[in-house]
Amino acid sequence: MAETSETMQTGEPGSPPRKSSWRYIGPGIVVAATGVGAGDLVATLIAGSKFGYTLMWAAVIGCLVKISLAEAVGRWHLATGRTLFDGWRTLGGWTTGYFAVYVVIWGFVYGATAMSSSALPIVALFPDGPGLKTWAIITGLIGLVFVWFNQYAVFEKVMTVLIGIMFVVVVYVAIRVVPDVGASFAGLLPVLPDGSLIYTLGLIGGVGGTITMAAYGYWVNAKGWSDTSWMKVMRIDNRVAYVTTGIFVVAMLIIGAELLHSSQIALTKGDQGLIDLGRILEDRFGAGTAKLFLVGFFAASFSSLIGVWHGVSLMFADFVQRIQAARRDASVEKASGEKVSRQERSVPFRAYLLWLTFPPMTLLWLDEPFGLVIGYGVLGAFFMPFLALTLLWLLNSERTPSEWRNGWLSNGMLGAAGLLFVVLCVQQVRELPW
């Protein structure tokens, strides 16, 4: 059996940790780093630039929503010994159909998006070097090689370094712009200025909220946590990760409020907006701060790339394994670190890695086809409501041991998250270029 840091520290896999739970933190950092990408940074900056500190409260609520969702995913994996996809399959064949279509179309479009996002800051840092398409291909290939030849332990360490870089850089820039402390605290009072509803919902639901939240349980198992003795550790891990994300989001709001709102400067939507911000930082604080910010931008984008390359490939490998087991009418082994270790070397895992890397490169030369944009947008908009509402279903049923079913707080948070994501889903679908 593959030996993990947990088995070496505790003597046997899944046994309760004998030392401080803090030393085991990792999967939460991975899911938080993966979920916060360049698009989230721009959305938060634009919210700060339009409304100043007024929506600070929304960032705090968003942090609580993500904590409740990730905790529910982790609790399902640890309490049942089953993966999330295994749980979805018990709800009916429609879940399998949805996921199969989603993971193919989403992966195709996201692959190109992630490579472009990672390449943008490199092009800005080295303007005389290769162009955007070349750097995008290079970052995609680096991500492929890294995930192909490394397993979870190394992957987690690299992700921790990347989130550390982006966190330190963004907090440093927020301090440099000299935040208005009084206005920051005033922003914790829930207020909805005219025209702010969509930005508010986006702040609560958007930052750190993607398919990678569903991958959290797989990373929990990869860490060697496979039963309820790790529940306390998982909850600490999850809270630390999303409190870190909350501080990160608040720092981005501060940058937007102080640097852009006061000067009435508008950013370009999409990843290009971060390049605009780099130029503004250079004008105000010099080239050193601007380059440092671009390094943080790269860390945010590339951590999302390798996080998806690893986490969603694990989900796809589990998806294929369940389908094959159902066809053979065979049982599926319990979720564990050893199982995940084998999945990281499996054909489905590596096949999806290739799917994320090579076919999307064609989109770097083409505008995304109209039909693909619509399909990607609709499927992506439905995923977070799908996750929140199926977790409510699973964790209130006999599929979950009674001790670990939802209480009133979990039901309230997941119910509110589900409602929020349904509203966001409708809005996203309405905004598509029909």
Side-chain angles (χ1 to χ4, degrees), residues 12 37 41 63 65 71 97 119 149 158 161 168 194 226 245 335-336 401 405:
E12 58 179 326
L41 303 189
C63 179
V65 166
E71 188 275 340
F149 290 104
V158 172
V161 170
V168 169
D194 290 342
S226 56
T245 302
S336 66
R405 289 177 198 161

Side-chain angles (χ1 to χ4, degrees), residues 105-113 115-116 133 357-369 372-373 376:
I105 296 178
W106 181 89
F108 183 47
V109 180
Y110 180 82
T113 303
M115 287 186 272
S116 295
K133 293 181 180 65
T357 306
F358 291 106
M361 288 178 183
T362 60
L363 295 182
L364 298 173
W365 276 269
L366 301 170
D367 289 332
E368 293 169 7
L372 196 58
V373 172
Y376 173 76

Side-chain angles (χ1 to χ4, degrees), residues 197-213:
L197 178 60
I198 299 306
Y199 292 96
T200 303
L201 292 174
L203 269 179
I204 296 173
V207 181
T210 67
I211 187 175
T212 51
M213 292 204 73

Side-chain angles (χ1 to χ4, degrees), residues 311-395:
V312 184
S313 296
L314 272 182
M315 293 183 70
F316 183 77
D318 185 51
F319 166 77
V320 172
Q321 184 180 39
R322 306 283 161 178
I323 297 298
Q324 291 173 339
R327 287 176 179 170
R328 298 193 307 266
D329 197 25
S331 60
V332 180
E333 68 178 296
K334 183 179 177 181
S336 66
E338 184 179 1
K339 178 186 174 185
V340 171
S341 181
R342 288 199 303 272
Q343 285 179 330
E344 288 174 311
R345 297 187 295 269
S346 69
V347 172
F349 180 89
R350 290 179 168 175
Y352 194 73
L353 265 179
L354 296 173
W355 174 252
L356 281 167
T357 306
F358 291 106
M361 288 178 183
T362 60
L363 295 182
L364 298 173
W365 276 269
L366 301 170
D367 289 332
E368 293 169 7
F370 175 78
L372 196 58
V373 172
I374 299 297
Y376 173 76
V378 171
L379 288 165
F382 273 94
F383 186 79
M384 291 304 284
F386 170 80
L387 176 63
L389 297 174
T390 53
L391 282 171
L392 263 177
W393 190 346
L394 290 170
L395 292 169

Side-chain angles (χ1 to χ4, degrees), residues 254-266:
I254 289 170
I255 294 168
E258 292 294 340
L259 206 58
L260 306 174
H261 181 67
S262 58
S263 307
Q264 295 299 300
I265 298 171

